Amino acid sequence: MTQSPPKSQGSVHAPHLYPPYTSSVRRAPHERLIPLPAALEGLHGPVFGAGRLRPDDHDTTRNARVNGEPLGERIIVRGRLLDGSGRPIRGALIETWQANAAGRYVHGRDEHDAPLDPNFTGTARMLTGGNGEYELISIRPGAYPWGNHPNAWRPAHIHFSVFGTNFTQRLVSQMYFPGDPLLAHDPIYQGIPDEKGRQRLISRFDLNLTRPGWALGYRFDIVLGGGAQTPFEEPGHDE
């Protein structure tokens, strides 16, 4: 079932309420919003430094290993975090989480009957470098059923969280893989009103980044603001 995207209202970001994505009906505000005190915007924290990260925190094939390699297709994702003018953002914390190769999360609410992987949690974190670059080494996630509509399956995706200088400055998005036929049927992806915006969530295969005999490489840049901004999710869109 292919969903028609909502009409653009000058933003590439998904709306709070998009009925084809049924969870948004429950999560969207139904009462007038209450402004938070401006003082919250001045909180300076958390402060992250390279010393707080373990050397393998960016590598899900190693950071949860117990007694062997995690199962699945290894991937390398590399990109840059940029501001709206294309300038690199240095020293920013990026966190990622994802399902395993069988399409299951390590989460108590995930009732999918696919197997868990004892050597894989699907979580990673990294700081951007001097040129705004980051690198994630992981396993390509599997698709999974999610009950939004009949025979609904989420396309393979990785969640990206970008932190600013405090807890109020957090942006969350999803990265998809090129050529995935499930994208045409996914209301979370299709809920983004701008076609160009949707395309910015699809990573690019990169043969030069591919490591011979070991892992496929993908490029995925994240842009905060401006005409090429990456679409971000409304709070609570966590599937």
Side-chain angles (χ1 to χ4, degrees):
M1 130 179 176
T2 302
Q3 305 291 345
S4 298
K7 294 181 180 179
S8 175
Q9 297 179 345
S11 172
V12 298
H13 307 304
H16 288 280
L17 177 61
Y18 180 47
Y21 176 23
T22 58
S23 293
S24 74
V25 177
R26 299 193 304 270
R27 294 169 174 165
H30 294 281
E31 302 292 339
R32 185 175 180 179
L33 299 180
I34 301 175
L36 293 174
L40 287 177
E41 298 176 2
L43 294 176
H44 294 292
V47 177
F48 299 97
R52 296 177 180 267
L53 298 178
R54 298 178 304 174
D56 60 358
D57 272 358
H58 72 294
D59 185 348
T60 69
T61 70
R62 298 179 59 86
N63 63 23
R65 185 184 300 180
V66 177
N67 55 11
E69 295 275 350
L71 300 175
E73 175 189 322
R74 288 183 291 259
I75 60 173
I76 301 169
V77 181
R78 189 178 294 171
R80 299 176 69 202
L81 180 64
L82 306 169
D83 67 15
S85 299
R87 295 172 298 209
I89 300 176
R90 306 173 181 87
L93 179 72
I94 296 178
E95 294 181 336
T96 66
W97 65 96
Q98 63 174 90
N100 65 18
R104 186 171 178 185
Y105 289 94
V106 182
H107 194 288
R109 293 180 58 188
D110 189 340
E111 299 178 351
H112 185 22
D113 61 0
L116 289 171
D117 188 331
N119 297 299
F120 184 83
T121 63
T123 58
R125 59 189 193 137
M126 61 223 78
L127 289 176
T128 57
N131 199 31
E133 72 280 355
Y134 73 89
E135 181 179 78
L136 167 68
I137 298 174
S138 195
I139 299 294
R140 178 167 175 145
Y144 56 83
W146 64 304
N148 184 79
H149 52 273
N151 204 14
W153 290 78
R154 288 244 52 217
H157 62 280
I158 299 175
H159 298 268
F160 276 74
S161 168
V162 179
F163 283 92
T165 59
N166 62 66
F167 281 114
T168 67
Q169 296 178 350
R170 186 192 186 206
L171 297 172
V172 177
S173 191
Q174 298 185 24
M175 185 203 88
Y176 300 96
F177 292 85
D180 193 327
L182 289 174
L183 290 173
H185 306 278
D186 184 64
I188 295 181
Y189 174 78
Q190 294 293 337
I192 298 167
D194 182 72
E195 170 62 26
K196 291 182 179 179
R198 292 194 291 274
Q199 292 298 314
R200 292 178 199 136
L201 295 183
I202 302 176
S203 58
R204 294 181 293 106
F205 172 70
D206 189 334
L207 187 61
N208 292 325
L209 182 57
T210 295
R211 191 176 302 177
W214 195 79
L216 295 181
Y218 295 89
R219 293 276 178 185
F220 184 64
D221 292 337
I222 302 172
V223 182
L224 309 183
Q229 64 181 314
T230 300
F232 292 97
E233 302 171 6
E234 301 297 345
H237 290 198
D238 55 1
E239 282 87 356

